[in-house]
Amino acid sequence: MKRMKLLAAMALSVTMAGTASADLVIPSLEYRTGPYAPNGIHFADGYTDYFTLLNERDGGIGGVPVRVIPCETAYNTEKGVECYESTKGEGALVYQPLSTGITYQLIPKATADGIPVHSMGYGRTSAANGKVFSHIFNYPGTYWDAASIIVKHILEQEGGDLSGKSITLVYHNSAYGKEPIRTLEELSKKHGYNLTLIAVDHPGQEQKSQWLQIRRERPDYVLMWGWGVMNQVAIQEAANIRYPMDHFIGVWWSSSENDVIPVGEGAHGYKAIAMHGVGDDYPIYDDMRKYVLDAGKAAGDGSNLGKVLYNRGMYAAMLAAEAVRTAQEMTGVADINSAQMRDGMEALKIDAARLAELGLPDFGPPIEVSCGNHGGPGLGAIQQWDASAQSWSLITGFIGADRDVVDPLIAEDSSAFAAENNITPRDC
């Protein structure tokens, strides 16, 4: 059986090598400038470096080199759309907007153009319904999954009973920050906790009044849907009022070193949800140093390796690369187009064995995408900051979302979107 698989792979390689052309085009919508640059730089470095690794070590994917086209958005929706319009004609295979606002604008555009969008753990949550959103993917999980998983963790901390408890959501006053509200409201009905919502306006440098309210009301738990400087300001304000950090839990975009290091010892114990592993203790980093950093081909100065958002950018690139491989294997064509990429993303399956082969053992949960499920497994772990060690660690395994709450919300919202936009859901 192993010999048959090897022969099949060799035959596919010959077929693909014979049809290969210039390159596989992957635009990188990034923000190295503007108020969110400190986070955007880490992600963009990880995203670009992974494709560089594949080019330098493997000659690309299936024998075809990857050409990354960087385009600066400054986390501005209008600029993000301009980047899309200016790069789609290059033969773009997939877009990773790294912005919920940009994602919302690209949903109709990219769908009409037949180009897939991967809003990995962000964007419109109901895009997880592939029957309605044919070209939008948000695996390995959504904001609604994240909200549910955080509440599950709190339930475990409280012995399974949240009756009469109080939870406050501090959120970025944008489409992104508002995403978890509906889910948290439904979960409050189910579990009996009291929910308070506190908005923070962009970019989030001023939060005195919000944290005075929290000091006054003293909720049992505070959740945060923040980004950029908003995160570190919130954590500093929490430390100032001596709020217990192990009861302060952020979403996976409020979970980087940038958010906690400036606060010093005051950030010790802060928690956040994680969609992947932390640190650089993975075999892939040996190759990253050999083929990318030491070769002088890194996107940045190399100081971000293993940091949360570098890992996330690398993870996003790996998922894109694996979708390319899947599409190549499905079609026997190396130089795939965006339609074939979409099909590869929808057929993506990454198990624990494949993660180990990629040099990322146990880095994330197994992922399986399908026609009806573009959101993946919807799993997340909880990570916690150790200020003394200056490092994150996963303190739980990967936890599943409350599908009894999340799935009906996805069905309701996606059905409304389909009705508003005259979309006939696909029969999966």
Side-chain angles (χ1 to χ4, degrees), residues 142-197:
T142 71
Y143 286 140
W144 298 354
D145 294 328
S148 167
I149 292 163
I150 291 172
V151 170
K152 269 194 172 183
H153 176 65
I154 294 173
L155 270 167
E156 183 178 345
Q157 299 299 107
E158 295 294 328
D161 184 9
L162 295 183
S163 301
K165 297 291 183 180
S166 56
I167 296 178
T168 292
L169 172 68
V170 176
Y171 66 95
H172 192 279
N173 196 12
S174 64
Y176 152 59
K178 296 173 184 176
E179 273 287 318
I181 292 175
R182 179 73 187 282
T183 306
L184 292 172
E185 288 173 341
E186 290 300 311
L187 288 167
S188 71
K189 297 175 187 175
K190 179 174 181 176
H191 297 297
Y193 62 81
N194 300 307
L195 178 65
T196 299
L197 306 174

Side-chain angles (χ1 to χ4, degrees), residues 76-401:
N76 176 278
T77 297
E78 184 177 345
K79 288 183 178 179
V81 173
E82 290 173 359
C83 280
Y84 171 81
E85 295 293 351
S86 67
T87 58
K88 68 180 183 181
E90 295 284 327
L93 295 180
V94 62
Y95 282 88
Q96 174 76 256
L98 199 59
S99 158
T100 292
I102 297 173
T103 300
Y104 267 71
Q105 292 300 310
L106 293 190
I107 287 173
K109 291 177 177 291
T111 302
D113 292 334
I115 305 173
V117 170
H118 186 198
S119 51
M120 185 181 76
Y122 60 92
R124 186 179 187 122
T125 291
S126 63
N129 183 358
K131 296 178 182 179
V132 174
F133 297 89
S134 59
H135 286 71
I136 315 302
F137 300 80
N138 47 18
Y139 54 81
T142 71
Y143 286 140
W144 298 354
D145 294 328
S148 167
I149 292 163
I150 291 172
V151 170
K152 269 194 172 183
H153 176 65
I154 294 173
L155 270 167
E156 183 178 345
Q157 299 299 107
E158 295 294 328
D161 184 9
L162 295 183
S163 301
K165 297 291 183 180
S166 56
I167 296 178
T168 292
L169 172 68
V170 176
Y171 66 95
H172 192 279
N173 196 12
S174 64
Y176 152 59
K178 296 173 184 176
E179 273 287 318
I181 292 175
R182 179 73 187 282
T183 306
L184 292 172
E185 288 173 341
E186 290 300 311
L187 288 167
S188 71
K189 297 175 187 175
K190 179 174 181 176
H191 297 297
Y193 62 81
N194 300 307
L195 178 65
T196 299
L197 306 174
I198 300 180
V200 175
D201 290 333
H202 159 87
Q205 291 172 306
E206 177 51 55
Q207 299 181 42
K208 290 292 184 185
S209 63
Q210 289 91 338
W211 286 92
L212 284 173
Q213 179 181 344
I214 291 171
R215 184 176 70 175
R216 183 173 62 251
E217 297 176 357
R218 208 66 180 179
D220 294 296
Y221 290 87
V222 174
L223 312 188
M224 177 161 64
W225 249 250
W227 188 226
V229 70
M230 171 184 165
N231 293 333
Q232 71 181 64
V233 171
I235 295 170
Q236 182 64 69
E237 292 290 352
N240 290 345
I241 67 169
R242 301 186 183 279
Y243 189 82
M245 281 295 165
D246 60 349
H247 283 221
F248 188 10
I249 309 172
V251 70
W252 38 53
W253 301 110
S254 301
S255 64
S256 78
E257 291 78 6
N258 293 337
D259 305 328
V260 287
I261 288 176
V263 184
E265 287 295 323
H268 183 75
Y270 171 73
K271 295 178 178 178
I273 190 171
M275 66 171 76
H276 52 69
V278 296
D280 62 355
D281 189 21
Y282 294 94
I284 193 172
Y285 279 113
D286 293 334
D287 283 352
M288 191 69 79
R289 292 185 177 91
K290 177 181 178 180
Y291 292 97
V292 182
L293 267 69
D294 295 347
K297 297 181 180 295
D301 62 8
S303 63
N304 294 328
L305 261 72
K307 292 182 178 178
V308 169
L309 291 173
Y310 184 96
N311 281 6
R312 189 155 308 151
M314 185 179 68
Y315 190 37
M318 180 273 283
L319 293 174
E322 290 303 291
V324 170
R325 293 186 207 280
T326 302
Q328 290 173 335
E329 292 169 0
M330 290 169 64
T331 63
V333 175
D335 185 24
I336 64 168
N337 58 32
S338 61
Q340 292 162 331
M341 179 67 172
R342 192 217 73 86
D343 292 347
M345 293 175 72
E346 194 167 86
L348 183 64
K349 184 176 181 179
I350 302 176
D351 58 16
R354 181 57 181 160
L355 281 173
E357 289 174 4
L358 292 168
L360 290 165
D362 302 318
F363 187 74
I367 292 176
E368 185 168 359
V369 188
S370 67
C371 171
N373 176 18
H374 284 190
L379 303 176
I382 300 297
Q383 64 184 43
Q384 189 167 33
W385 179 249
D386 184 330
S388 299
Q390 293 280 283
S391 65
W392 294 99
S393 60
L394 298 186
I395 60 172
T396 72
F398 283 93
I399 303 165

Side-chain angles (χ1 to χ4, degrees), residues 391-416:
S391 65
W392 294 99
S393 60
L394 298 186
I395 60 172
T396 72
F398 283 93
I399 303 165
D402 186 339
R403 304 253 60 99
D404 291 340
V405 170
V406 174
D407 287 348
L409 292 177
I410 289 174
E412 177 186 335
D413 191 76
S414 58
S415 294

